[in-house]
């Protein structure tokens, strides 16, 4: 989404994807050639982060870097900018997004919003709504229904139309997820379903749901980037807002309620760059997207994104006096 924003403002672009996903960028480059982009307007670079990515972040002739990825790497890019030419940087980083469900919410709508908010792209989504806060009046029912939905996901080949749940990106990420799941069990969270690798081929993780999760557990504080849902209960608006904001991240959030006053009150109080109401993961080109705190700064999409790819110049000159 960043390279076309550069083009709208008349910039050329060098696009580097993560080393785990080079084919996507190369295919975009092929499409750019097919539609007639002049040579040099869009440039595709494949390589590893510390080498290729590091060279871009510290390059003296690059004026702007837009990065989507982990908070850890985002900090390195920001540091490289300061140690090189002070290039402008925008960062869309990690998240541990809260999804809040009130007693009066439409249950079917809330279940689908929470389910897709976490399991979309098998949890490999920066704005995944992984921390589910459910008001105590509907908590038990919500957990039971969510477990059924998770267990109904079909794992398999992503090219099979029947598949609803694919594999993680690589073995390293799968092992990270399994390690965090293990910590959740050890710290006393209630494992409702999943929790293990699926099969012996590929990097498939079972859809996993934890209930009765405490805010200080690692599964509640660390970005898992996988299909692992954490559900906990709350009583009051004041309580859930404080708990939802108790994180280093601030990328996104969700609120499910039929009460418009509650919706406005909670969405205003949440420290998140994008808040969805009675839906989740809805992104449109016109709406800016980005985070607070360690989820980064700057915005993608919308008019706000375009300002990151321009320089403001003021020219003041004296002209001969005009007598007329």
């Amino acid at each position: 989404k960043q390279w076309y924003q550069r083009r709208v403002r008349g910039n050329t672009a060098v696009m580097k994807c993560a080393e785990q996903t080079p084919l996507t960028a190369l295919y975009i480059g092929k499409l750019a050639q097919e539609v007639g982009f002049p040579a040099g307007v869009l440039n595709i670079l494949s390589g590893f982060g510390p080498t290729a990515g590091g060279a871009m972040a510290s390059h003296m002739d690059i004026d702007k870097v837009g990065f989507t990825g982990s908070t850890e790497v985002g900090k390195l890019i920001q540091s490289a900018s300061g140690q090189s030419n002070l290039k402008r940087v925008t960062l869309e980083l990690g998240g541990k997004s809260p999804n809040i469900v009130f007693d009066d919410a439409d249950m079917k709508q809330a279940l689908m919003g929470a389910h897709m908010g976490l399991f979309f792209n098998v949890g490999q989504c920066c704005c995944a709504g992984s921390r589910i806060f459910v008001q105590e009046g509907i908590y038990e029912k919500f957990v039971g229904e969510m477990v059924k939905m998770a267990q109904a996901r079909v794992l398999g080949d992503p090219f099979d139309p029947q598949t609803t749940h694919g594999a993680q990106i690589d073995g390293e990420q799968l092992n990270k997820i399994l390690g965090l799941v293990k910590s959740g069990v050890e710290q006393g969270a209630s494992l409702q379903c999943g929790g293990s690798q699926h099969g012996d081929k590929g990097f498939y993780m079972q859809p996993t749901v934890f209930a009765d999760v405490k805010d200080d557990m690692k599964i509640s504080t660390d970005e898992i980037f996988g299909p692992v849902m954490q559900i906990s209960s709350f009583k009051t608006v004041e309580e859930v807002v404080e708990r939802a904001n108790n994180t280093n991240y601030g990328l996104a959030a969700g609120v499910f309620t039929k009460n418009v006053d509650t919706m406005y009150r909670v969405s205003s109080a949440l420290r998140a760059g994008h808040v969805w109401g009675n839906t989740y993961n809805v992104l449109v080109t016109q709406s800016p997207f980005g985070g607070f705190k360690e989820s980064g700064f700057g915005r993608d999409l919308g008019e706000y994104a375009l300002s990151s790819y321009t320089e403001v110049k003021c020219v003041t000159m004296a002209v001969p006096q005009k007598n007329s």
Side-chain angles (χ1 to χ4, degrees), residues 12 32 34 41 72 84 95 104 124 138 151 160-161 190-191 203 207 221 244 248 260 270 296 300 310 318 323:
T12 58
E34 291 179 3
V41 170
E72 178 186 8
S84 55
D104 68 340
Q124 298 173 137
I138 59 170
Q151 291 174 329
D160 184 342
S190 175
L191 180 61
F203 308 121
T221 60
N248 293 334
V260 176
L270 290 172
D300 290 330
T310 61
N323 297 316

Side-chain angles (χ1 to χ4, degrees), residues 66-118:
F67 173 72
T68 299
S70 70
T71 297
E72 178 186 8
V73 175
K75 291 180 178 180
L76 294 175
I77 291 173
Q78 180 79 345
S79 176
S81 169
Q83 294 173 18
S84 55
N85 63 342
L86 284 178
K87 59 179 61 64
R88 189 179 301 182
V89 175
T90 54
L91 303 171
E92 197 254 90
L93 307 177
K96 195 69 182 177
S97 300
N99 208 344
I100 302 169
V101 182
F102 286 91
D103 281 348
D104 68 340
D106 181 305
M107 178 64 80
K108 183 177 179 180
Q109 186 180 53
L111 284 165
M112 183 56 66
H115 180 83
M116 293 306 300
L118 185 280

Side-chain angles (χ1 to χ4, degrees), residues 119 150 155 165-168 173-183 185 191-210 226-229:
F119 291 112
L155 285 76
H165 194 98
Q168 308 310 130
Q173 181 61 27
L174 175 63
N175 289 332
K176 175 188 174 183
I177 295 168
L178 290 170
L180 284 165
V181 168
K182 181 180 178 181
S183 77
V185 174
L191 180 61
Q192 299 289 304
C193 68
S196 302
Q197 182 176 357
H198 172 77
D200 56 2
K201 293 183 179 180
F203 308 121
Y204 288 88
M205 179 69 198
Q206 294 176 347
T208 301
V209 176
F210 279 102
V228 181
M229 178 179 288

Side-chain angles (χ1 to χ4, degrees), residues 6-277:
R6 290 172 166 85
R7 287 299 308 123
V8 168
R9 286 302 195 185
N11 300 296
T12 58
V14 178
M15 181 165 66
K16 182 206 169 296
C17 277
E19 52 263 33
Q20 298 92 339
T21 59
L23 298 182
T24 306
L26 293 172
Y27 188 69
I28 290 175
K30 181 175 181 294
L31 293 177
Q33 286 182 322
E34 291 179 3
V35 300
F37 273 45
V41 170
L42 175 61
N43 308 275
I44 310 298
L45 177 65
S46 297
F48 291 95
T51 50
M56 292 174 65
S58 59
H59 201 289
M60 297 299 292
D61 293 327
I62 292 179
D63 297 322
K64 163 71 168 67
V65 169
F67 173 72
T68 299
S70 70
T71 297
E72 178 186 8
V73 175
K75 291 180 178 180
L76 294 175
I77 291 173
Q78 180 79 345
S79 176
S81 169
Q83 294 173 18
S84 55
N85 63 342
L86 284 178
K87 59 179 61 64
R88 189 179 301 182
V89 175
T90 54
L91 303 171
E92 197 254 90
L93 307 177
K96 195 69 182 177
S97 300
N99 208 344
I100 302 169
V101 182
F102 286 91
D103 281 348
D104 68 340
D106 181 305
M107 178 64 80
K108 183 177 179 180
Q109 186 180 53
L111 284 165
M112 183 56 66
H115 180 83
M116 293 306 300
L118 185 280
F119 291 112
F120 169 76
N121 205 33
V122 291
Q124 298 173 137
C125 184
C126 54
C127 57
S130 55
R131 292 187 298 146
I132 314 296
F133 296 96
V134 183
Q135 202 160 19
E136 58 185 6
I138 59 170
Y139 178 74
E140 296 297 336
K141 180 179 180 181
F142 185 95
V143 171
E145 293 299 318
M146 185 57 70
V147 169
K148 293 177 184 177
M149 294 176 72
Q151 291 174 329
R153 294 183 67 81
V154 179
L155 285 76
D157 183 350
F159 291 103
D160 184 342
Q162 302 303 313
T163 297
T164 60
H165 194 98
Q168 308 310 130
I169 189 63
D170 59 21
E172 181 180 356
Q173 181 61 27
L174 175 63
N175 289 332
K176 175 188 174 183
I177 295 168
L178 290 170
L180 284 165
V181 168
K182 181 180 178 181
S183 77
V185 174
E186 291 174 346
Q187 291 184 310
S190 175
L191 180 61
Q192 299 289 304
C193 68
S196 302
Q197 182 176 357
H198 172 77
D200 56 2
K201 293 183 179 180
F203 308 121
Y204 288 88
M205 179 69 198
Q206 294 176 347
T208 301
V209 176
F210 279 102
D212 304 331
V213 178
K214 305 302 181 185
D215 295 348
D216 59 351
M217 294 178 177
K218 283 183 67 65
I219 56 172
S220 189
T221 60
D222 292 14
E223 183 179 32
I224 299 175
F225 216 65
V228 181
M229 178 179 288
Q230 306 97 61
I231 311 177
S232 58
S233 66
F234 73 93
K235 293 182 179 180
T236 66
V237 170
E238 293 78 12
E239 174 200 343
V240 76
V241 167
E242 181 179 357
R243 292 172 63 193
N245 286 334
N246 185 25
T247 173
N248 293 334
Y249 298 109
L251 186 55
V255 181
F256 286 83
T257 177
K258 294 177 182 177
N259 188 312
V260 176
D261 290 339
T262 301
M263 180 70 71
Y264 277 113
R265 179 184 175 189
V266 175
S267 61
S268 297
L270 290 172
R271 293 279 295 156
H274 201 120
V275 180
W276 287 287

